[in-house]
Amino acid sequence: MARIRMSRRVLMLSAAVFAALPAMAQDITLTFANWATAEATTRDGMEQVIARFEEANPGIRIDSQAIAFPEIGRQMVLRIRSGNPPDVAQIAGNDTFLLAASGGLQALDDYAGETLATLKPGSYAPFQTEKGLVAMPWNQAPAGFWFSRDILKGAGLDPDNPPATIEDLNAAMAKVKEAYPDIIVLGMDTTNRAFSLQSNWPWMRAFGALPIGEGATGADTPEMKAYLGWMRMLAQEGYIDPGRKIGEFRPLIAQGQVAFLWDQVLVQGVIQNASGIDDATFNAQFGVAPMPAGALGSGYSFEGGHQLVMFDKSAQKDAAWKFINYLATDEAAAKLYTVDTNRSIPPAASFADPELAASLDTPVIEAFSTSIIPTITPEPFGPDFATAATAIMAGVQEAVTSDRPIDDIAADIQSQLDR
Amino acid sequence: MRPGAAKKAHLSRPMRGRAPLLDGMVVPTLIVLALIIGYPVVSTLMLSVQQYDLINDAAPSYVGMRNFSDIASDQIFWTAVKNTLIYTFGTVFVAAFLGAAMALMLENLNGPFGNAARAIVVSPWAVPFVVVAFLFRFIYMQKGGVLNAVLMHLGIIEAPIPWLNDSDLALPAIIVANIWTTTPFFFLLVASSLSGIPDAVLESARVDRAGTWATLYHIKLPYMRNPLVIGSLLMIIANFNDFAKVWVMTQGGPGFSTTTLVVYVYRMAFENFRLGYASALGVIWLILLLVTAALYFRLLRGRD
Amino acid sequence: MTDAGRQGFRHRQSAGRRIGRGLQFAGLGFALLWTLAPLYWMVATSLKTELEATQLDPTLFPHSITLQNYTGLAGGSLPFMQFFVNSVLTCLVAAIVAVVIAIPAAYALSRAKFRAASQVGYLILIVRMFPMVVLLAPLYLILLTTGLLDTHFGLIVGYTTFGLPFAVWMIKGFIDAVPIEIEEAARVDGYPRWQILLRIVVPLIYPGLITTGIFVLMEAWNNLIYPLTFITTLDKQTLPAALQLTFTGQFKTDWGGMMAASVVTTLPLMIAFFTVQRSMVRGLTAGSVTGT
């Protein structure tokens, strides 16, 4: 036994020596877990940005690990627990806060200090938690209320003024349904995923419901029931097509088969890709507005952008920060990836490159910046969000797909949340 | 297993008494199984009496039977058990019936048409589950799904039916997709057991002028019985474990109406990261399967 | 039934029999439609353009047949050929490993008639019942500590967990069908058991081994959870998992491309399956058919 242990030590020692010799002269390798290289739409753009970074930083090599979007949160938690996290990861939504709660992230305050001053405050504020700045905003992709001008016109509605309140929306949907009985009047994601709660949360808030999170009033409230009742009405009137993922509405709106769509800023790119229309035609056919106002007198939005996180196990944090900072704030990277590939908004407050500034000076970005982003409401993210999402979205699905009394459904959600 | 039955088999063969675990030929398999299954099973048993949440840094702590008592009062768990039983047995019984019916229909059909028909009806079994799931999700879509489109064009229905988005329809709809992939298995099973019936037996039935149904009942059914019992057991095991179809088609929704045990355990372990609770669910699951298997073996032995 | 036999009975067909015939063909028509319709839809959709594939009023026949979904797979930015190779490689190796390890155990269980043999046989089948989902976390930890996470070898180990018990069960069934008398001569000559197994039994059950191997291969090919969990980088991913991962991304669901990928995922399995379909089922249920 002793002999085996000895020889193993010798082996390890010699391995370490051999590994160290060339390593002294060699590059640092950063592992970067992301889904940008796991999807056909973004893979090329992401790889180009990585290549440029490596070119600009000869000492650093990026080992890009493509992990699918729905898998990345789970993978990262497992890898934190098992002690082999990557150096840097792309992350979004509740997963960011899940990782922060799991204690495997490096707070970025010391690294990001000066950089933050150059960003829009709203872009990073949600990530300043009691554990410090847990994530760096990479891009912003808030949701807006998209509408098809052609369909509004055809239904006898004003193509430039979409409904401003939920009541107006109800009336408008009735008119659209009458004029176009076969299209999807309102596209919204009602699947049972954590993302669906994130996406539907602003609607719940518009009805005054606050089932979980800070100052929660629970699910068994008149406000929540009003929301569930409205959702049921949408289904019964045939306005929504339940069970579709948000990505399944996008090719449809491109074909003029969806009148209103609750979706993120990036949908413009998907529509233009699918139908091949240019910017001017797009703006003539589609518009985006804030969510119609509900009982509280306002509509809301959610931030669906992506963040970058550094893991506290990383052995090369300075290089990791260099990479994060490059992706989030370098203007060439922002243009190539964030704007042109991912079709979202960089977090920077202003841009030196006039071309980049111009490419962000569009009616859509304008609408987002002035009237939609200010309505972003915080999401009740945290370790319990996924469980709550399962309970709440199951209730929403029940309201939409069955005729059980809304009171019972609300009570059921609450009892699930209490568990 | 009744000792008597084992003994009978034992005596009918040459005696080569060796203790099973000492048999050198079984050892390699047992070692591999112990490593890749034994260890995970044992650690699942141990985890089932612990609270171990991957999401916080706390070490696993012993909680006794608490996970199990929590499960007893867990409404969704019981829904999941119910759904799993409906899903599994609904699929297996209907698929067995359809498969047997198809085999009987094709039994006497020779020539190129018969061969082509046989090749066609078995083909769904070769379609990977993920593909089946995506394909049927696409077919079932409320708007834009081909099933509703065809039914509406034929005038059978007036408005699109939300196949996967109705609490009462979703589970049956998934079961139908599952039956589609499972039927060929039973078809092959029954077809091969039918071809195993000696010609002389069928001939004598014909001489006795036994009718089609009488021949089926008295002659063919006994030959089909055991393969069907074993085959259904295999399919019950497979369907208890079936993840891809439900996950891709509904993620367990709407509500919890299609949440099966495997979906529930997956959510517990890999969305909520409650490994202790998920392991306790797994232990109960194993017990359920063992009971089913024991009943089945009894059914098999009952014939002797 | 022989053709001559049927001929002899034809004249006795009554009106009732003819109705039965009609019912039989109606049933057959239904069976064929039921089987073919979904497959047709998969192929038809894969030949449509992206917009036609997603439109709300689906077209029963593609308006303009395009191969763009297939060329997109081959020439797109995602390495679909690599996924395909990954799947073939891992599933094939898992099948071979499972069969090779299973042969001696299956032989011992079939031939050495110790009292507990059948119990061990059933035990191995029961092992197969344990929910894969629950085994995931411990297996993940094993692979991690041995450095096999995110390797094809680790995935093969995972596939073996369900492939091996099944292979033992099936091969035992095939060996049961080999009369023990065939071995007697060799035994009298004093050949050791290993030799008897390799020289006499294995050649006899060779088709059964192929069948078993293809069964394990199909099960592995079908498996979704293991590659999703054990493979963390996309370039090492298997075809079914990549299908699930890359077509339901953050941007859109591309039904045409997905159906094209589905066709490509299905074809190898279908070919493998048709080579062995008959003996496969016989192997699965051999234990009961031969009456042991």
Side-chain angles (χ1 to χ4, degrees), chain A residues 389-415:
Chain A
T390 307
I392 295 173
M393 288 315 295
V396 171
Q397 289 188 328
E398 257 200 304
V400 167
T401 61
S402 74
D403 41 19
R404 253 186 99 204
I406 294 287
D407 287 356
D408 296 0
I409 296 173
D412 259 16
I413 299 177
Q414 189 54 47
S415 75

PDB file of all heavy atoms in Angstrom, chain A residues 389-415:
ATOM      1  N   ALA A 389     -42.449  29.057  -9.209  1.00  0.00           N
ATOM      2  CA  ALA A 389     -42.863  29.155 -10.607  1.00  0.00           C
ATOM      3  C   ALA A 389     -43.676  27.937 -11.005  1.00  0.00           C
ATOM      4  O   ALA A 389     -44.700  28.055 -11.687  1.00  0.00           O
ATOM      5  CB  ALA A 389     -41.640  29.286 -11.517  1.00  0.00           C
ATOM      6  N   THR A 390     -43.224  26.743 -10.572  1.00  0.00           N
ATOM      7  CA  THR A 390     -43.980  25.531 -10.891  1.00  0.00           C
ATOM      8  C   THR A 390     -45.395  25.638 -10.336  1.00  0.00           C
ATOM      9  O   THR A 390     -46.376  25.355 -11.026  1.00  0.00           O
ATOM     10  CB  THR A 390     -43.278  24.290 -10.299  1.00  0.00           C
ATOM     11  OG1 THR A 390     -41.923  24.297 -10.732  1.00  0.00           O
ATOM     12  CG2 THR A 390     -43.938  23.019 -10.762  1.00  0.00           C
ATOM     13  N   ALA A 391     -45.518  26.068  -9.075  1.00  0.00           N
ATOM     14  CA  ALA A 391     -46.835  26.157  -8.444  1.00  0.00           C
ATOM     15  C   ALA A 391     -47.704  27.206  -9.132  1.00  0.00           C
ATOM     16  O   ALA A 391     -48.867  26.944  -9.470  1.00  0.00           O
ATOM     17  CB  ALA A 391     -46.677  26.490  -6.961  1.00  0.00           C
ATOM     18  N   ILE A 392     -47.145  28.397  -9.359  1.00  0.00           N
ATOM     19  CA  ILE A 392     -47.960  29.487  -9.909  1.00  0.00           C
ATOM     20  C   ILE A 392     -48.334  29.204 -11.359  1.00  0.00           C
ATOM     21  O   ILE A 392     -49.490  29.358 -11.757  1.00  0.00           O
ATOM     22  CB  ILE A 392     -47.208  30.834  -9.784  1.00  0.00           C
ATOM     23  CG1 ILE A 392     -47.034  31.192  -8.303  1.00  0.00           C
ATOM     24  CG2 ILE A 392     -47.970  31.939 -10.503  1.00  0.00           C
ATOM     25  CD1 ILE A 392     -46.175  32.411  -8.060  1.00  0.00           C
ATOM     26  N   MET A 393     -47.352  28.778 -12.159  1.00  0.00           N
ATOM     27  CA  MET A 393     -47.660  28.549 -13.571  1.00  0.00           C
ATOM     28  C   MET A 393     -48.602  27.354 -13.742  1.00  0.00           C
ATOM     29  O   MET A 393     -49.419  27.327 -14.658  1.00  0.00           O
ATOM     30  CB  MET A 393     -46.386  28.354 -14.395  1.00  0.00           C
ATOM     31  CG  MET A 393     -45.572  29.616 -14.601  1.00  0.00           C
ATOM     32  SD  MET A 393     -46.523  31.084 -15.070  1.00  0.00           S
ATOM     33  CE  MET A 393     -47.167  30.608 -16.677  1.00  0.00           C
ATOM     34  N   ALA A 394     -48.501  26.360 -12.831  1.00  0.00           N
ATOM     35  CA  ALA A 394     -49.467  25.264 -12.885  1.00  0.00           C
ATOM     36  C   ALA A 394     -50.869  25.820 -12.646  1.00  0.00           C
ATOM     37  O   ALA A 394     -51.838  25.418 -13.305  1.00  0.00           O
ATOM     38  CB  ALA A 394     -49.121  24.196 -11.858  1.00  0.00           C
ATOM     39  N   GLY A 395     -50.988  26.772 -11.706  1.00  0.00           N
ATOM     40  CA  GLY A 395     -52.278  27.402 -11.448  1.00  0.00           C
ATOM     41  C   GLY A 395     -52.763  28.199 -12.651  1.00  0.00           C
ATOM     42  O   GLY A 395     -53.941  28.132 -13.026  1.00  0.00           O
ATOM     43  N   VAL A 396     -51.851  28.952 -13.260  1.00  0.00           N
ATOM     44  CA  VAL A 396     -52.219  29.727 -14.449  1.00  0.00           C
ATOM     45  C   VAL A 396     -52.706  28.781 -15.543  1.00  0.00           C
ATOM     46  O   VAL A 396     -53.727  29.011 -16.190  1.00  0.00           O
ATOM     47  CB  VAL A 396     -51.014  30.564 -14.949  1.00  0.00           C
ATOM     48  CG1 VAL A 396     -51.332  31.196 -16.301  1.00  0.00           C
ATOM     49  CG2 VAL A 396     -50.660  31.640 -13.938  1.00  0.00           C
ATOM     50  N   GLN A 397     -51.977  27.679 -15.724  1.00  0.00           N
ATOM     51  CA  GLN A 397     -52.383  26.720 -16.757  1.00  0.00           C
ATOM     52  C   GLN A 397     -53.753  26.129 -16.447  1.00  0.00           C
ATOM     53  O   GLN A 397     -54.569  25.929 -17.342  1.00  0.00           O
ATOM     54  CB  GLN A 397     -51.348  25.601 -16.855  1.00  0.00           C
ATOM     55  CG  GLN A 397     -50.042  26.060 -17.465  1.00  0.00           C
ATOM     56  CD  GLN A 397     -49.099  24.900 -17.738  1.00  0.00           C
ATOM     57  OE1 GLN A 397     -49.101  23.913 -17.024  1.00  0.00           O
ATOM     58  NE2 GLN A 397     -48.292  25.035 -18.771  1.00  0.00           N
ATOM     59  N   GLU A 398     -53.990  25.865 -15.172  1.00  0.00           N
ATOM     60  CA  GLU A 398     -55.302  25.327 -14.797  1.00  0.00           C
ATOM     61  C   GLU A 398     -56.394  26.342 -15.111  1.00  0.00           C
ATOM     62  O   GLU A 398     -57.455  25.991 -15.630  1.00  0.00           O
ATOM     63  CB  GLU A 398     -55.313  25.005 -13.300  1.00  0.00           C
ATOM     64  CG  GLU A 398     -55.173  23.538 -13.000  1.00  0.00           C
ATOM     65  CD  GLU A 398     -55.669  23.221 -11.622  1.00  0.00           C
ATOM     66  OE1 GLU A 398     -55.146  23.845 -10.671  1.00  0.00           O
ATOM     67  OE2 GLU A 398     -56.572  22.382 -11.485  1.00  0.00           O
ATOM     68  N   ALA A 399     -56.132  27.613 -14.779  1.00  0.00           N
ATOM     69  CA  ALA A 399     -57.127  28.651 -15.048  1.00  0.00           C
ATOM     70  C   ALA A 399     -57.410  28.719 -16.544  1.00  0.00           C
ATOM     71  O   ALA A 399     -58.546  28.880 -16.977  1.00  0.00           O
ATOM     72  CB  ALA A 399     -56.637  30.006 -14.533  1.00  0.00           C
ATOM     73  N   VAL A 400     -56.349  28.570 -17.338  1.00  0.00           N
ATOM     74  CA  VAL A 400     -56.484  28.729 -18.782  1.00  0.00           C
ATOM     75  C   VAL A 400     -57.150  27.504 -19.418  1.00  0.00           C
ATOM     76  O   VAL A 400     -57.892  27.622 -20.385  1.00  0.00           O
ATOM     77  CB  VAL A 400     -55.083  28.977 -19.401  1.00  0.00           C
ATOM     78  CG1 VAL A 400     -55.122  28.845 -20.902  1.00  0.00           C
ATOM     79  CG2 VAL A 400     -54.587  30.351 -19.008  1.00  0.00           C
ATOM     80  N   THR A 401     -56.878  26.315 -18.879  1.00  0.00           N
ATOM     81  CA  THR A 401     -57.270  25.106 -19.608  1.00  0.00           C
ATOM     82  C   THR A 401     -58.417  24.332 -18.977  1.00  0.00           C
ATOM     83  O   THR A 401     -58.861  23.341 -19.542  1.00  0.00           O
ATOM     84  CB  THR A 401     -56.084  24.135 -19.729  1.00  0.00           C
ATOM     85  OG1 THR A 401     -55.677  23.767 -18.413  1.00  0.00           O
ATOM     86  CG2 THR A 401     -54.926  24.770 -20.455  1.00  0.00           C
ATOM     87  N   SER A 402     -58.882  24.717 -17.787  1.00  0.00           N
ATOM     88  CA  SER A 402     -59.971  23.937 -17.190  1.00  0.00           C
ATOM     89  C   SER A 402     -61.089  24.896 -16.785  1.00  0.00           C
ATOM     90  O   SER A 402     -60.975  26.104 -16.963  1.00  0.00           O
ATOM     91  CB  SER A 402     -59.476  23.178 -15.956  1.00  0.00           C
ATOM     92  OG  SER A 402     -59.294  24.070 -14.879  1.00  0.00           O
ATOM     93  N   ASP A 403     -62.195  24.363 -16.259  1.00  0.00           N
ATOM     94  CA  ASP A 403     -63.207  25.291 -15.756  1.00  0.00           C
ATOM     95  C   ASP A 403     -63.389  25.170 -14.253  1.00  0.00           C
ATOM     96  O   ASP A 403     -64.454  25.426 -13.721  1.00  0.00           O
ATOM     97  CB  ASP A 403     -64.532  25.119 -16.513  1.00  0.00           C
ATOM     98  CG  ASP A 403     -64.858  23.666 -16.772  1.00  0.00           C
ATOM     99  OD1 ASP A 403     -64.272  22.820 -16.067  1.00  0.00           O
ATOM    100  OD2 ASP A 403     -65.677  23.387 -17.661  1.00  0.00           O
ATOM    101  N   ARG A 404     -62.319  24.746 -13.584  1.00  0.00           N
ATOM    102  CA  ARG A 404     -62.364  24.736 -12.118  1.00  0.00           C
ATOM    103  C   ARG A 404     -62.547  26.162 -11.617  1.00  0.00           C
ATOM    104  O   ARG A 404     -61.988  27.096 -12.195  1.00  0.00           O
ATOM    105  CB  ARG A 404     -61.025  24.218 -11.575  1.00  0.00           C
ATOM    106  CG  ARG A 404     -61.098  22.826 -11.009  1.00  0.00           C
ATOM    107  CD  ARG A 404     -59.780  22.473 -10.383  1.00  0.00           C
ATOM    108  NE  ARG A 404     -59.804  22.654  -8.944  1.00  0.00           N
ATOM    109  CZ  ARG A 404     -58.712  22.861  -8.202  1.00  0.00           C
ATOM    110  NH1 ARG A 404     -57.546  22.947  -8.772  1.00  0.00           N
ATOM    111  NH2 ARG A 404     -58.807  22.978  -6.898  1.00  0.00           N
ATOM    112  N   PRO A 405     -63.292  26.332 -10.518  1.00  0.00           N
ATOM    113  CA  PRO A 405     -63.463  27.695  -9.987  1.00  0.00           C
ATOM    114  C   PRO A 405     -62.118  28.358  -9.698  1.00  0.00           C
ATOM    115  O   PRO A 405     -61.217  27.728  -9.143  1.00  0.00           O
ATOM    116  CB  PRO A 405     -64.248  27.469  -8.697  1.00  0.00           C
ATOM    117  CG  PRO A 405     -64.920  26.149  -8.865  1.00  0.00           C
ATOM    118  CD  PRO A 405     -64.060  25.339  -9.768  1.00  0.00           C
ATOM    119  N   ILE A 406     -62.005  29.637 -10.095  1.00  0.00           N
ATOM    120  CA  ILE A 406     -60.771  30.390  -9.879  1.00  0.00           C
ATOM    121  C   ILE A 406     -60.400  30.415  -8.393  1.00  0.00           C
ATOM    122  O   ILE A 406     -59.220  30.326  -8.042  1.00  0.00           O
ATOM    123  CB  ILE A 406     -60.948  31.829 -10.419  1.00  0.00           C
ATOM    124  CG1 ILE A 406     -61.116  31.804 -11.941  1.00  0.00           C
ATOM    125  CG2 ILE A 406     -59.790  32.712 -10.013  1.00  0.00           C
ATOM    126  CD1 ILE A 406     -59.872  31.492 -12.726  1.00  0.00           C
ATOM    127  N   ASP A 407     -61.426  30.506  -7.523  1.00  0.00           N
ATOM    128  CA  ASP A 407     -61.147  30.543  -6.076  1.00  0.00           C
ATOM    129  C   ASP A 407     -60.367  29.313  -5.638  1.00  0.00           C
ATOM    130  O   ASP A 407     -59.400  29.399  -4.874  1.00  0.00           O
ATOM    131  CB  ASP A 407     -62.459  30.606  -5.285  1.00  0.00           C
ATOM    132  CG  ASP A 407     -63.102  31.979  -5.393  1.00  0.00           C
ATOM    133  OD1 ASP A 407     -62.466  32.865  -6.009  1.00  0.00           O
ATOM    134  OD2 ASP A 407     -64.226  32.154  -4.893  1.00  0.00           O
ATOM    135  N   ASP A 408     -60.775  28.136  -6.146  1.00  0.00           N
ATOM    136  CA  ASP A 408     -60.091  26.900  -5.765  1.00  0.00           C
ATOM    137  C   ASP A 408     -58.654  26.894  -6.279  1.00  0.00           C
ATOM    138  O   ASP A 408     -57.731  26.456  -5.582  1.00  0.00           O
ATOM    139  CB  ASP A 408     -60.816  25.681  -6.352  1.00  0.00           C
ATOM    140  CG  ASP A 408     -62.216  25.527  -5.777  1.00  0.00           C
ATOM    141  OD1 ASP A 408     -62.572  26.370  -4.935  1.00  0.00           O
ATOM    142  OD2 ASP A 408     -62.926  24.579  -6.176  1.00  0.00           O
ATOM    143  N   ILE A 409     -58.488  27.379  -7.524  1.00  0.00           N
ATOM    144  CA  ILE A 409     -57.148  27.379  -8.105  1.00  0.00           C
ATOM    145  C   ILE A 409     -56.220  28.278  -7.298  1.00  0.00           C
ATOM    146  O   ILE A 409     -55.104  27.895  -6.949  1.00  0.00           O
ATOM    147  CB  ILE A 409     -57.205  27.832  -9.577  1.00  0.00           C
ATOM    148  CG1 ILE A 409     -58.012  26.826 -10.410  1.00  0.00           C
ATOM    149  CG2 ILE A 409     -55.798  27.991 -10.141  1.00  0.00           C
ATOM    150  CD1 ILE A 409     -58.266  27.259 -11.832  1.00  0.00           C
ATOM    151  N   ALA A 410     -56.719  29.477  -6.948  1.00  0.00           N
ATOM    152  CA  ALA A 410     -55.900  30.413  -6.175  1.00  0.00           C
ATOM    153  C   ALA A 410     -55.533  29.803  -4.825  1.00  0.00           C
ATOM    154  O   ALA A 410     -54.391  29.906  -4.367  1.00  0.00           O
ATOM    155  CB  ALA A 410     -56.644  31.734  -5.995  1.00  0.00           C
ATOM    156  N   ALA A 411     -56.505  29.144  -4.200  1.00  0.00           N
ATOM    157  CA  ALA A 411     -56.235  28.525  -2.903  1.00  0.00           C
ATOM    158  C   ALA A 411     -55.195  27.411  -3.043  1.00  0.00           C
ATOM    159  O   ALA A 411     -54.316  27.246  -2.190  1.00  0.00           O
ATOM    160  CB  ALA A 411     -57.528  27.981  -2.303  1.00  0.00           C
ATOM    161  N   ASP A 412     -55.301  26.665  -4.140  1.00  0.00           N
ATOM    162  CA  ASP A 412     -54.338  25.592  -4.399  1.00  0.00           C
ATOM    163  C   ASP A 412     -52.920  26.128  -4.577  1.00  0.00           C
ATOM    164  O   ASP A 412     -51.961  25.557  -4.049  1.00  0.00           O
ATOM    165  CB  ASP A 412     -54.726  24.845  -5.677  1.00  0.00           C
ATOM    166  CG  ASP A 412     -55.426  23.536  -5.361  1.00  0.00           C
ATOM    167  OD1 ASP A 412     -55.856  23.393  -4.204  1.00  0.00           O
ATOM    168  OD2 ASP A 412     -55.530  22.693  -6.262  1.00  0.00           O
ATOM    169  N   ILE A 413     -52.804  27.197  -5.352  1.00  0.00           N
ATOM    170  CA  ILE A 413     -51.475  27.796  -5.544  1.00  0.00           C
ATOM    171  C   ILE A 413     -50.900  28.168  -4.192  1.00  0.00           C
ATOM    172  O   ILE A 413     -49.746  27.871  -3.878  1.00  0.00           O
ATOM    173  CB  ILE A 413     -51.547  29.052  -6.441  1.00  0.00           C
ATOM    174  CG1 ILE A 413     -52.075  28.710  -7.826  1.00  0.00           C
ATOM    175  CG2 ILE A 413     -50.170  29.709  -6.546  1.00  0.00           C
ATOM    176  CD1 ILE A 413     -52.234  29.918  -8.732  1.00  0.00           C
ATOM    177  N   GLN A 414     -51.749  28.810  -3.369  1.00  0.00           N
ATOM    178  CA  GLN A 414     -51.258  29.256  -2.070  1.00  0.00           C
ATOM    179  C   GLN A 414     -50.795  28.077  -1.227  1.00  0.00           C
ATOM    180  O   GLN A 414     -49.741  28.131  -0.593  1.00  0.00           O
ATOM    181  CB  GLN A 414     -52.349  30.054  -1.337  1.00  0.00           C
ATOM    182  CG  GLN A 414     -51.857  30.736  -0.069  1.00  0.00           C
ATOM    183  CD  GLN A 414     -50.638  31.622  -0.323  1.00  0.00           C
ATOM    184  OE1 GLN A 414     -50.612  32.402  -1.269  1.00  0.00           O
ATOM    185  NE2 GLN A 414     -49.601  31.480   0.497  1.00  0.00           N
ATOM    186  N   SER A 415     -51.564  26.985  -1.251  1.00  0.00           N
ATOM    187  CA  SER A 415     -51.162  25.855  -0.410  1.00  0.00           C
ATOM    188  C   SER A 415     -49.869  25.239  -0.936  1.00  0.00           C
ATOM    189  O   SER A 415     -49.053  24.728  -0.160  1.00  0.00           O
ATOM    190  CB  SER A 415     -52.292  24.826  -0.311  1.00  0.00           C
ATOM    191  OG  SER A 415     -52.390  24.100  -1.509  1.00  0.00           O
TER     192      SER A 415
END
